[in-house]
Amino acid sequence: MMRLLLALLLLSIPILMVGCNSNSDKSTDGNDIGNPDAEQLLAANKDADIFSTIDVVYKNAENVSWVNELDLSLGDEYFEITKQSTTPEEFESGTASKLPVGTKIYTPSKENRPILIAVVKGEKIPYLGVIEG
């Protein structure tokens, strides 16, 4: 009897672990939990000034006081805007809602925060990664 209980306990542990982890990336309504995407940001504000990288959407941070207090100088070129769209379904890495195609995006030389810098007509524009957590 004791061996049977022990065997059942040992067999149930992996089942419980799989069951508990299978929905770890889902919210209670079945949607993925993670960083907001372009669709969510544009639904909240159809005029949002955003661009998308592979895994993060960046939002214009010109009016964010703590970002303006940083001494942001250009680091390495990160990528270039390849498409402009305000249609959420068309957003992919390199798509921007307002930045023109060809805009170069740079990492800041000293900051390790989720900030990137767009350069438009010689003007540096800070963008802040919209990251949950």
Side-chain angles (χ1 to χ4, degrees):
M1 181 69 171
M2 187 64 142
R3 288 184 184 185
L4 180 61
L5 240 87
L6 183 59
L8 285 172
L9 179 63
L10 290 174
L11 288 172
S12 63
I13 290 174
I15 293 169
L16 287 172
M17 290 176 70
V18 169
C20 291
N21 287 331
S22 66
N23 288 329
S24 63
D25 289 339
K26 300 279 184 185
S27 66
T28 55
D29 62 3
N31 292 324
D32 287 339
I33 296 174
N35 297 334
D37 59 17
E39 183 175 0
Q40 293 167 317
L41 294 173
L42 290 170
N45 177 5
K46 65 179 177 140
D47 293 323
D49 182 359
I50 61 174
F51 67 81
S52 183
T53 64
I54 292 172
D55 54 353
V56 176
V57 175
Y58 286 78
K59 186 175 181 179
N60 185 306
E62 287 179 298
N63 296 321
V64 177
S65 59
W66 68 266
V67 173
N68 287 326
E69 292 171 7
L70 299 173
D71 182 24
L72 296 175
S73 55
L74 297 181
D76 295 329
E77 183 177 324
Y78 187 64
F79 76 107
E80 185 176 312
I81 299 300
T82 57
K83 182 168 143 183
Q84 188 181 64
S85 178
T86 56
T87 305
E89 299 79 30
E90 293 181 4
F91 259 77
E92 57 192 22
S93 183
T95 305
S97 62
K98 297 198 183 259
L99 291 172
V101 171
T103 299
K104 305 267 191 232
I105 307 295
Y106 296 86
T107 59
S109 63
K110 296 180 183 176
E111 289 297 318
N112 61 0
R113 298 176 188 185
I115 297 172
L116 293 176
I117 305 165
V119 177
V120 179
K121 297 179 182 174
E123 179 187 351
K124 295 188 297 187
I125 305 170
Y127 281 77
L128 185 59
V130 183
I131 298 174
E132 289 295 317

